[in-house]
Amino acid sequence: MLTILFDGVAYGMLLFVLAVGLSVTLGLMNFVNLAHGAFAMAGGYVTVLLMSRFGVPFLACLPLAFLAAALLGAVLERTLYRRLYDRPHLDHVLFSIGLVFMAVAATDYAMGSQQQNIRLPSWLSGRLDVMGVGIGRYRAFLIATCGVLVVALQFVLSRTRFGVRLRAAVDDRRVARGLGIPVDRVFAVTFAVGSGLAGLGGAMGAEILGLDPTFPLKFMIYFLIVVTVGGTAGLVGPFVAALVLGIADVAGKYYVPSLGAFVIYTLMIAILLVRPQGLFARAR
Amino acid sequence: MDVIRRGILLAAAATLVPSYAAGQGSDTVKVGLILPLTGPFASTGRQIEAAARLYMAQNGSTVAGRKIELIVKDDTGTPDITKRIAQEMVNDKIAVLAGFGLTPLALAVAPIATQAKVPEIVMAAGSSMITEASPFIVRTSFTVAQSAAPMAEWATKNGIRKVVTIVTDYAPGIDAEKAFSEPFVKAGGKVDNVRVPLRNPDFAPFLQRAADEKPDALFVFVPAGVGAQLMKQYVERGLDKSGVRLIGPGDVTDDDILNDMGDVAMGAITTQFYSAAHPSPENKAYVEAFKKANKGMRPNFMSVGGYDGMHLIYEALKKTNGSTDGEKLVDAMKSMSWTSPRGPISIDPATRDIVQNIYVRKVEKVGGELYNVEFATIPNVKDPVKAAVAK
């Protein structure tokens, strides 16, 4: 029972790291970025390449995956995304879904379509028994890392100058600009960090979720569920949503495996019926 | 509208093509190889194409005085595309259609093969019913049931009484589940069947459920690729240490990806028809030549389907003295038998399906690499599904 809860929390945490960037771009910057998963995939492939070709240890790969995806995000934001900020949402969707297909095809061409595997260091594999509860080491590592990330992100957003500027820029771009806030730069940094987090999630998720060129399409639906259920007002919403969905998914598959695949969708529908704006969002 | 158009096309093809195909006018014999070369099943396509080309490189491209021309097309694993390509090939006077990575792809072409009277050589797809879809289908790969059923026998003999099966919820997975569970239960074993959705990000809950039942073994069938994920989580959950054995048909420990799985795969026991470590001179020569021609890529079970499929086509042409009449070719293929890299095989004249040895193998380290090492043989296994109907 507790093992199930633990697995669910670990899975939820992973979902959160993967989706948080999307909730930032979607909720704060009001940009529908369906290509979010492509950045996660980039992070995953960076890790696989670094580990298998250059023998970089797993832990060192994680920040590199973050940086690579963030850099990719920054470049694309400067060259492509920013042109679309003021366009209608349909344009966002069409543009980013196109980007997804390009990413899938390009990865297939460059890396082949097979599943990529990473090999964890031995201290991260296996499991511990803590008071009768079996705990996978890697999942414990996931929870710890993601927990730290959540606190750090929340701190940055609510307590730092950058966070204040970002929230101001989102609330009213024109006024913020008038007050001398470099809205463009704030958005660029935010976008890059969001992409970087996706990359980090992809790198950490490769072990559990697998990694192949269709990754952005396969998991797009999960990201979107987390963001819709969580609401897009801040970080707490997606975080709680990711945890709830992670636990519900794992528990559902454990207790009723024949219906397991539907639990997450049923829950989403139920929550949205009660709170159409998401768990934590202000009503608009 | 589309249906009507297709119908007209098919009818046209049916009336026109046999006369072309039977005609001895041109000297080349076109063999159309339709494979998934991109997309999630590209590994299958790559292996089979490499094997077919290897066979032609080794045996020359002239048979019974006629030149063989291999035309390779990518269907991306989508039945509509497979069907369209097959239709175009038939219009282009193809003598033999071959390849077919997945069951729906093979089935999509069956009506075309029937109407155009062109042999359809299935080199990969593994559902039992495929050969029944057209009298022109001959299979050189395997059936899922054929490789899964012998596992029931082995497990019963080796003190395994309680098994949890974890299969992906799609046709081959359910085939494997049934092929294993029925004889196993009949022999007095206990089975709990768990099905995992095809798009499943995390195996944790299913494995935990299996672990809590404390079975003697876990029977696993999942598409190649996600097998690695499952194995890792099986070890992460400590199932290997608590004495739960991992068994299943050999798809999970596919030679193409086995090495990348790492040590988690060690000790897995599977039943299948081919291992790159099969100890025979034919196989040693095959593996060596295959690796040499493909930058060190290791041949897997799909590749021998392609290799033997080409052999079948060559031998049938020799028997018909170069005639490409579809019925004559299929007749020549029936009851043909030879020694393949995988061991002795033959084509069952009644079902046009392959009869072959199934080997029980264990993943071990050989010379620093992981291999499926065979340690027991169940000779001349027919497809159990069709065999049961025939009785």
Side-chain angles (χ1 to χ4, degrees), chain B residues 146 150 153 157 271-273 278 342-346 354-360 375-384:
Chain B
Q146 189 179 41
E153 193 183 318
K157 272 190 198 152
T271 42
Q272 213 190 22
F273 59 89
H278 179 63
R342 64 180 113 171
I345 60 175
S346 62
I354 187 162
V355 181
Q356 57 192 337
N357 294 349
I358 298 295
Y359 305 91
V360 190
F375 64 88
T377 306
I378 299 154
N380 302 327
V381 180
K382 285 189 181 184
D383 172 42

PDB file of all heavy atoms in Angstrom, chain B residues 146 150 153 157 271-273 278 342-346 354-360 375-384:
ATOM      1  N   GLN B 146       3.348 -20.089 -31.292  1.00  0.00           N
ATOM      2  CA  GLN B 146       4.370 -21.108 -31.483  1.00  0.00           C
ATOM      3  C   GLN B 146       5.547 -20.902 -30.529  1.00  0.00           C
ATOM      4  O   GLN B 146       6.109 -21.855 -30.013  1.00  0.00           O
ATOM      5  CB  GLN B 146       4.857 -21.021 -32.931  1.00  0.00           C
ATOM      6  CG  GLN B 146       5.769 -22.112 -33.393  1.00  0.00           C
ATOM      7  CD  GLN B 146       6.141 -21.902 -34.852  1.00  0.00           C
ATOM      8  OE1 GLN B 146       6.396 -20.790 -35.287  1.00  0.00           O
ATOM      9  NE2 GLN B 146       6.149 -22.979 -35.607  1.00  0.00           N
ATOM     10  N   PRO B 150       5.463 -23.398 -25.933  1.00  0.00           N
ATOM     11  CA  PRO B 150       6.450 -24.304 -25.338  1.00  0.00           C
ATOM     12  C   PRO B 150       6.909 -23.864 -23.952  1.00  0.00           C
ATOM     13  O   PRO B 150       7.377 -24.676 -23.168  1.00  0.00           O
ATOM     14  CB  PRO B 150       7.610 -24.276 -26.334  1.00  0.00           C
ATOM     15  CG  PRO B 150       6.993 -23.900 -27.621  1.00  0.00           C
ATOM     16  CD  PRO B 150       5.889 -22.955 -27.266  1.00  0.00           C
ATOM     17  N   GLU B 153       5.088 -25.684 -21.200  1.00  0.00           N
ATOM     18  CA  GLU B 153       5.632 -27.019 -20.964  1.00  0.00           C
ATOM     19  C   GLU B 153       6.895 -26.949 -20.098  1.00  0.00           C
ATOM     20  O   GLU B 153       7.047 -27.657 -19.114  1.00  0.00           O
ATOM     21  CB  GLU B 153       5.959 -27.635 -22.320  1.00  0.00           C
ATOM     22  CG  GLU B 153       6.243 -29.112 -22.294  1.00  0.00           C
ATOM     23  CD  GLU B 153       6.632 -29.586 -23.696  1.00  0.00           C
ATOM     24  OE1 GLU B 153       5.984 -29.155 -24.681  1.00  0.00           O
ATOM     25  OE2 GLU B 153       7.587 -30.350 -23.816  1.00  0.00           O
ATOM     26  N   LYS B 157       7.478 -28.300 -16.141  1.00  0.00           N
ATOM     27  CA  LYS B 157       8.508 -29.295 -15.837  1.00  0.00           C
ATOM     28  C   LYS B 157       9.515 -28.786 -14.827  1.00  0.00           C
ATOM     29  O   LYS B 157      10.191 -29.567 -14.184  1.00  0.00           O
ATOM     30  CB  LYS B 157       9.251 -29.666 -17.130  1.00  0.00           C
ATOM     31  CG  LYS B 157       8.597 -30.793 -17.873  1.00  0.00           C
ATOM     32  CD  LYS B 157       9.520 -31.256 -18.991  1.00  0.00           C
ATOM     33  CE  LYS B 157       8.761 -32.067 -20.014  1.00  0.00           C
ATOM     34  NZ  LYS B 157       9.381 -31.968 -21.334  1.00  0.00           N
ATOM     35  N   THR B 271      11.528 -18.557 -24.551  1.00  0.00           N
ATOM     36  CA  THR B 271      11.463 -19.572 -25.595  1.00  0.00           C
ATOM     37  C   THR B 271      11.280 -18.865 -26.926  1.00  0.00           C
ATOM     38  O   THR B 271      10.444 -17.979 -27.054  1.00  0.00           O
ATOM     39  CB  THR B 271      10.255 -20.510 -25.382  1.00  0.00           C
ATOM     40  OG1 THR B 271       9.125 -19.738 -25.003  1.00  0.00           O
ATOM     41  CG2 THR B 271      10.540 -21.525 -24.312  1.00  0.00           C
ATOM     42  N   GLN B 272      12.089 -19.239 -27.898  1.00  0.00           N
ATOM     43  CA  GLN B 272      11.952 -18.665 -29.228  1.00  0.00           C
ATOM     44  C   GLN B 272      12.672 -19.511 -30.248  1.00  0.00           C
ATOM     45  O   GLN B 272      13.314 -20.510 -29.903  1.00  0.00           O
ATOM     46  CB  GLN B 272      12.477 -17.233 -29.250  1.00  0.00           C
ATOM     47  CG  GLN B 272      11.694 -16.370 -30.212  1.00  0.00           C
ATOM     48  CD  GLN B 272      12.348 -15.037 -30.424  1.00  0.00           C
ATOM     49  OE1 GLN B 272      13.538 -14.890 -30.203  1.00  0.00           O
ATOM     50  NE2 GLN B 272      11.582 -14.062 -30.869  1.00  0.00           N
ATOM     51  N   PHE B 273      12.574 -19.120 -31.518  1.00  0.00           N
ATOM     52  CA  PHE B 273      13.133 -19.952 -32.584  1.00  0.00           C
ATOM     53  C   PHE B 273      14.537 -19.547 -33.001  1.00  0.00           C
ATOM     54  O   PHE B 273      15.205 -20.265 -33.701  1.00  0.00           O
ATOM     55  CB  PHE B 273      12.209 -19.929 -33.803  1.00  0.00           C
ATOM     56  CG  PHE B 273      11.988 -18.544 -34.342  1.00  0.00           C
ATOM     57  CD1 PHE B 273      12.833 -18.016 -35.296  1.00  0.00           C
ATOM     58  CD2 PHE B 273      10.931 -17.778 -33.878  1.00  0.00           C
ATOM     59  CE1 PHE B 273      12.635 -16.746 -35.784  1.00  0.00           C
ATOM     60  CE2 PHE B 273      10.733 -16.503 -34.371  1.00  0.00           C
ATOM     61  CZ  PHE B 273      11.589 -15.974 -35.314  1.00  0.00           C
ATOM     62  N   HIS B 278      22.964 -19.189 -31.436  1.00  0.00           N
ATOM     63  CA  HIS B 278      22.646 -20.578 -31.788  1.00  0.00           C
ATOM     64  C   HIS B 278      23.917 -21.288 -32.255  1.00  0.00           C
ATOM     65  O   HIS B 278      24.577 -20.838 -33.188  1.00  0.00           O
ATOM     66  CB  HIS B 278      21.587 -20.596 -32.899  1.00  0.00           C
ATOM     67  CG  HIS B 278      21.210 -21.972 -33.345  1.00  0.00           C
ATOM     68  ND1 HIS B 278      20.620 -22.879 -32.507  1.00  0.00           N
ATOM     69  CD2 HIS B 278      21.365 -22.598 -34.540  1.00  0.00           C
ATOM     70  CE1 HIS B 278      20.412 -24.010 -33.175  1.00  0.00           C
ATOM     71  NE2 HIS B 278      20.851 -23.860 -34.407  1.00  0.00           N
ATOM     72  N   ARG B 342      18.746 -20.737 -38.062  1.00  0.00           N
ATOM     73  CA  ARG B 342      18.076 -20.987 -36.783  1.00  0.00           C
ATOM     74  C   ARG B 342      17.963 -22.477 -36.473  1.00  0.00           C
ATOM     75  O   ARG B 342      17.555 -22.855 -35.383  1.00  0.00           O
ATOM     76  CB  ARG B 342      16.688 -20.363 -36.805  1.00  0.00           C
ATOM     77  CG  ARG B 342      15.746 -20.963 -37.827  1.00  0.00           C
ATOM     78  CD  ARG B 342      14.379 -20.291 -37.804  1.00  0.00           C
ATOM     79  NE  ARG B 342      14.135 -19.541 -39.046  1.00  0.00           N
ATOM     80  CZ  ARG B 342      12.972 -19.001 -39.365  1.00  0.00           C
ATOM     81  NH1 ARG B 342      11.963 -19.085 -38.531  1.00  0.00           N
ATOM     82  NH2 ARG B 342      12.825 -18.338 -40.491  1.00  0.00           N
ATOM     83  N   GLY B 343      18.293 -23.337 -37.457  1.00  0.00           N
ATOM     84  CA  GLY B 343      18.139 -24.779 -37.282  1.00  0.00           C
ATOM     85  C   GLY B 343      17.264 -25.339 -38.383  1.00  0.00           C
ATOM     86  O   GLY B 343      16.957 -24.638 -39.349  1.00  0.00           O
ATOM     87  N   PRO B 344      16.848 -26.608 -38.275  1.00  0.00           N
ATOM     88  CA  PRO B 344      16.025 -27.211 -39.332  1.00  0.00           C
ATOM     89  C   PRO B 344      14.623 -26.606 -39.352  1.00  0.00           C
ATOM     90  O   PRO B 344      13.987 -26.481 -38.306  1.00  0.00           O
ATOM     91  CB  PRO B 344      15.966 -28.696 -38.938  1.00  0.00           C
ATOM     92  CG  PRO B 344      16.236 -28.714 -37.472  1.00  0.00           C
ATOM     93  CD  PRO B 344      17.148 -27.560 -37.192  1.00  0.00           C
ATOM     94  N   ILE B 345      14.138 -26.232 -40.532  1.00  0.00           N
ATOM     95  CA  ILE B 345      12.786 -25.685 -40.648  1.00  0.00           C
ATOM     96  C   ILE B 345      12.109 -26.262 -41.880  1.00  0.00           C
ATOM     97  O   ILE B 345      12.766 -26.760 -42.797  1.00  0.00           O
ATOM     98  CB  ILE B 345      12.769 -24.140 -40.744  1.00  0.00           C
ATOM     99  CG1 ILE B 345      13.552 -23.652 -41.953  1.00  0.00           C
ATOM    100  CG2 ILE B 345      13.325 -23.522 -39.475  1.00  0.00           C
ATOM    101  CD1 ILE B 345      13.454 -22.157 -42.160  1.00  0.00           C
ATOM    102  N   SER B 346      10.793 -26.204 -41.893  1.00  0.00           N
ATOM    103  CA  SER B 346      10.059 -26.628 -43.091  1.00  0.00           C
ATOM    104  C   SER B 346       8.754 -25.849 -43.176  1.00  0.00           C
ATOM    105  O   SER B 346       8.336 -25.204 -42.216  1.00  0.00           O
ATOM    106  CB  SER B 346       9.773 -28.132 -43.034  1.00  0.00           C
ATOM    107  OG  SER B 346       8.967 -28.419 -41.914  1.00  0.00           O
ATOM    108  N   ILE B 354       5.212 -21.999 -40.976  1.00  0.00           N
ATOM    109  CA  ILE B 354       6.521 -22.580 -40.738  1.00  0.00           C
ATOM    110  C   ILE B 354       6.481 -23.582 -39.583  1.00  0.00           C
ATOM    111  O   ILE B 354       5.746 -23.403 -38.617  1.00  0.00           O
ATOM    112  CB  ILE B 354       7.551 -21.463 -40.483  1.00  0.00           C
ATOM    113  CG1 ILE B 354       8.960 -22.025 -40.402  1.00  0.00           C
ATOM    114  CG2 ILE B 354       7.194 -20.691 -39.213  1.00  0.00           C
ATOM    115  CD1 ILE B 354      10.022 -20.971 -40.584  1.00  0.00           C
ATOM    116  N   VAL B 355       7.249 -24.657 -39.741  1.00  0.00           N
ATOM    117  CA  VAL B 355       7.441 -25.622 -38.659  1.00  0.00           C
ATOM    118  C   VAL B 355       8.906 -25.531 -38.257  1.00  0.00           C
ATOM    119  O   VAL B 355       9.781 -25.595 -39.115  1.00  0.00           O
ATOM    120  CB  VAL B 355       7.125 -27.059 -39.128  1.00  0.00           C
ATOM    121  CG1 VAL B 355       7.312 -28.043 -37.976  1.00  0.00           C
ATOM    122  CG2 VAL B 355       5.720 -27.138 -39.677  1.00  0.00           C
ATOM    123  N   GLN B 356       9.169 -25.333 -36.988  1.00  0.00           N
ATOM    124  CA  GLN B 356      10.556 -25.117 -36.578  1.00  0.00           C
ATOM    125  C   GLN B 356      10.785 -25.537 -35.129  1.00  0.00           C
ATOM    126  O   GLN B 356       9.841 -25.754 -34.379  1.00  0.00           O
ATOM    127  CB  GLN B 356      10.919 -23.638 -36.737  1.00  0.00           C
ATOM    128  CG  GLN B 356       9.991 -22.707 -35.945  1.00  0.00           C
ATOM    129  CD  GLN B 356      10.158 -21.260 -36.332  1.00  0.00           C
ATOM    130  OE1 GLN B 356      11.186 -20.887 -36.847  1.00  0.00           O
ATOM    131  NE2 GLN B 356       9.147 -20.457 -36.076  1.00  0.00           N
ATOM    132  N   ASN B 357      12.069 -25.652 -34.784  1.00  0.00           N
ATOM    133  CA  ASN B 357      12.417 -25.937 -33.390  1.00  0.00           C
ATOM    134  C   ASN B 357      12.224 -24.688 -32.551  1.00  0.00           C
ATOM    135  O   ASN B 357      12.518 -23.583 -32.995  1.00  0.00           O
ATOM    136  CB  ASN B 357      13.884 -26.346 -33.266  1.00  0.00           C
ATOM    137  CG  ASN B 357      14.153 -27.667 -33.951  1.00  0.00           C
ATOM    138  OD1 ASN B 357      13.221 -28.372 -34.339  1.00  0.00           O
ATOM    139  ND2 ASN B 357      15.421 -27.998 -34.090  1.00  0.00           N
ATOM    140  N   ILE B 358      11.741 -24.897 -31.324  1.00  0.00           N
ATOM    141  CA  ILE B 358      11.710 -23.792 -30.367  1.00  0.00           C
ATOM    142  C   ILE B 358      12.749 -24.101 -29.299  1.00  0.00           C
ATOM    143  O   ILE B 358      12.825 -25.223 -28.787  1.00  0.00           O
ATOM    144  CB  ILE B 358      10.307 -23.651 -29.734  1.00  0.00           C
ATOM    145  CG1 ILE B 358       9.270 -23.340 -30.814  1.00  0.00           C
ATOM    146  CG2 ILE B 358      10.311 -22.550 -28.673  1.00  0.00           C
ATOM    147  CD1 ILE B 358       9.434 -22.019 -31.523  1.00  0.00           C
ATOM    148  N   TYR B 359      13.576 -23.099 -29.002  1.00  0.00           N
ATOM    149  CA  TYR B 359      14.657 -23.307 -28.049  1.00  0.00           C
ATOM    150  C   TYR B 359      14.341 -22.591 -26.744  1.00  0.00           C
ATOM    151  O   TYR B 359      13.746 -21.511 -26.742  1.00  0.00           O
ATOM    152  CB  TYR B 359      15.963 -22.760 -28.618  1.00  0.00           C
ATOM    153  CG  TYR B 359      16.299 -23.343 -29.971  1.00  0.00           C
ATOM    154  CD1 TYR B 359      15.873 -22.712 -31.146  1.00  0.00           C
ATOM    155  CD2 TYR B 359      17.004 -24.540 -30.077  1.00  0.00           C
ATOM    156  CE1 TYR B 359      16.147 -23.252 -32.389  1.00  0.00           C
ATOM    157  CE2 TYR B 359      17.289 -25.080 -31.324  1.00  0.00           C
ATOM    158  CZ  TYR B 359      16.862 -24.435 -32.473  1.00  0.00           C
ATOM    159  OH  TYR B 359      17.139 -24.970 -33.706  1.00  0.00           O
ATOM    160  N   VAL B 360      14.735 -23.212 -25.645  1.00  0.00           N
ATOM    161  CA  VAL B 360      14.645 -22.544 -24.349  1.00  0.00           C
ATOM    162  C   VAL B 360      16.007 -21.925 -24.088  1.00  0.00           C
ATOM    163  O   VAL B 360      17.036 -22.587 -24.187  1.00  0.00           O
ATOM    164  CB  VAL B 360      14.295 -23.543 -23.229  1.00  0.00           C
ATOM    165  CG1 VAL B 360      13.974 -22.803 -21.944  1.00  0.00           C
ATOM    166  CG2 VAL B 360      13.134 -24.419 -23.645  1.00  0.00           C
ATOM    167  N   PHE B 375      19.558 -23.740 -24.112  1.00  0.00           N
ATOM    168  CA  PHE B 375      19.929 -24.915 -23.318  1.00  0.00           C
ATOM    169  C   PHE B 375      18.941 -26.072 -23.434  1.00  0.00           C
ATOM    170  O   PHE B 375      19.153 -27.129 -22.873  1.00  0.00           O
ATOM    171  CB  PHE B 375      20.176 -24.542 -21.853  1.00  0.00           C
ATOM    172  CG  PHE B 375      18.961 -24.018 -21.120  1.00  0.00           C
ATOM    173  CD1 PHE B 375      18.094 -24.895 -20.490  1.00  0.00           C
ATOM    174  CD2 PHE B 375      18.711 -22.665 -21.061  1.00  0.00           C
ATOM    175  CE1 PHE B 375      16.981 -24.412 -19.804  1.00  0.00           C
ATOM    176  CE2 PHE B 375      17.602 -22.173 -20.388  1.00  0.00           C
ATOM    177  CZ  PHE B 375      16.740 -23.050 -19.756  1.00  0.00           C
ATOM    178  N   ALA B 376      17.867 -25.900 -24.145  1.00  0.00           N
ATOM    179  CA  ALA B 376      16.966 -27.028 -24.389  1.00  0.00           C
ATOM    180  C   ALA B 376      16.245 -26.783 -25.706  1.00  0.00           C
ATOM    181  O   ALA B 376      16.072 -25.642 -26.124  1.00  0.00           O
ATOM    182  CB  ALA B 376      15.960 -27.171 -23.258  1.00  0.00           C
ATOM    183  N   THR B 377      15.832 -27.865 -26.364  1.00  0.00           N
ATOM    184  CA  THR B 377      15.188 -27.744 -27.673  1.00  0.00           C
ATOM    185  C   THR B 377      13.865 -28.495 -27.668  1.00  0.00           C
ATOM    186  O   THR B 377      13.797 -29.615 -27.167  1.00  0.00           O
ATOM    187  CB  THR B 377      16.084 -28.354 -28.772  1.00  0.00           C
ATOM    188  OG1 THR B 377      17.370 -27.745 -28.674  1.00  0.00           O
ATOM    189  CG2 THR B 377      15.500 -28.091 -30.143  1.00  0.00           C
ATOM    190  N   ILE B 378      12.837 -27.872 -28.194  1.00  0.00           N
ATOM    191  CA  ILE B 378      11.571 -28.570 -28.422  1.00  0.00           C
ATOM    192  C   ILE B 378      11.423 -28.659 -29.936  1.00  0.00           C
ATOM    193  O   ILE B 378      11.201 -27.652 -30.602  1.00  0.00           O
ATOM    194  CB  ILE B 378      10.396 -27.805 -27.791  1.00  0.00           C
ATOM    195  CG1 ILE B 378      10.640 -27.713 -26.283  1.00  0.00           C
ATOM    196  CG2 ILE B 378       9.074 -28.500 -28.079  1.00  0.00           C
ATOM    197  CD1 ILE B 378       9.993 -26.543 -25.630  1.00  0.00           C
ATOM    198  N   PRO B 379      11.610 -29.873 -30.504  1.00  0.00           N
ATOM    199  CA  PRO B 379      11.743 -29.979 -31.958  1.00  0.00           C
ATOM    200  C   PRO B 379      10.409 -29.867 -32.700  1.00  0.00           C
ATOM    201  O   PRO B 379       9.349 -30.226 -32.170  1.00  0.00           O
ATOM    202  CB  PRO B 379      12.353 -31.371 -32.155  1.00  0.00           C
ATOM    203  CG  PRO B 379      11.959 -32.140 -30.937  1.00  0.00           C
ATOM    204  CD  PRO B 379      11.781 -31.159 -29.814  1.00  0.00           C
ATOM    205  N   ASN B 380      10.504 -29.370 -33.932  1.00  0.00           N
ATOM    206  CA  ASN B 380       9.402 -29.354 -34.908  1.00  0.00           C
ATOM    207  C   ASN B 380       8.061 -28.897 -34.345  1.00  0.00           C
ATOM    208  O   ASN B 380       7.089 -29.628 -34.338  1.00  0.00           O
ATOM    209  CB  ASN B 380       9.224 -30.741 -35.531  1.00  0.00           C
ATOM    210  CG  ASN B 380      10.493 -31.193 -36.203  1.00  0.00           C
ATOM    211  OD1 ASN B 380      11.232 -30.355 -36.741  1.00  0.00           O
ATOM    212  ND2 ASN B 380      10.776 -32.472 -36.156  1.00  0.00           N
ATOM    213  N   VAL B 381       8.024 -27.668 -33.866  1.00  0.00           N
ATOM    214  CA  VAL B 381       6.789 -27.132 -33.306  1.00  0.00           C
ATOM    215  C   VAL B 381       5.954 -26.525 -34.436  1.00  0.00           C
ATOM    216  O   VAL B 381       6.440 -25.689 -35.201  1.00  0.00           O
ATOM    217  CB  VAL B 381       7.092 -26.063 -32.239  1.00  0.00           C
ATOM    218  CG1 VAL B 381       5.806 -25.511 -31.661  1.00  0.00           C
ATOM    219  CG2 VAL B 381       7.973 -26.639 -31.136  1.00  0.00           C
ATOM    220  N   LYS B 382       4.697 -26.974 -34.531  1.00  0.00           N
ATOM    221  CA  LYS B 382       3.762 -26.357 -35.475  1.00  0.00           C
ATOM    222  C   LYS B 382       3.019 -25.254 -34.744  1.00  0.00           C
ATOM    223  O   LYS B 382       2.992 -25.237 -33.510  1.00  0.00           O
ATOM    224  CB  LYS B 382       2.753 -27.394 -35.953  1.00  0.00           C
ATOM    225  CG  LYS B 382       3.303 -28.386 -36.954  1.00  0.00           C
ATOM    226  CD  LYS B 382       2.153 -29.201 -37.517  1.00  0.00           C
ATOM    227  CE  LYS B 382       2.682 -30.229 -38.506  1.00  0.00           C
ATOM    228  NZ  LYS B 382       1.608 -30.984 -39.155  1.00  0.00           N
ATOM    229  N   ASP B 383       2.380 -24.388 -35.503  1.00  0.00           N
ATOM    230  CA  ASP B 383       1.580 -23.354 -34.856  1.00  0.00           C
ATOM    231  C   ASP B 383       0.477 -24.017 -34.035  1.00  0.00           C
ATOM    232  O   ASP B 383      -0.389 -24.695 -34.594  1.00  0.00           O
ATOM    233  CB  ASP B 383       0.964 -22.429 -35.907  1.00  0.00           C
ATOM    234  CG  ASP B 383      -0.029 -21.473 -35.274  1.00  0.00           C
ATOM    235  OD1 ASP B 383       0.292 -20.962 -34.179  1.00  0.00           O
ATOM    236  OD2 ASP B 383      -1.098 -21.252 -35.854  1.00  0.00           O
ATOM    237  N   PRO B 384       0.492 -23.847 -32.697  1.00  0.00           N
ATOM    238  CA  PRO B 384      -0.470 -24.591 -31.872  1.00  0.00           C
ATOM    239  C   PRO B 384      -1.924 -24.184 -32.112  1.00  0.00           C
ATOM    240  O   PRO B 384      -2.822 -25.003 -31.936  1.00  0.00           O
ATOM    241  CB  PRO B 384      -0.043 -24.260 -30.436  1.00  0.00           C
ATOM    242  CG  PRO B 384       0.922 -23.143 -30.526  1.00  0.00           C
ATOM    243  CD  PRO B 384       1.429 -23.057 -31.918  1.00  0.00           C
TER     244      PRO B 384
END
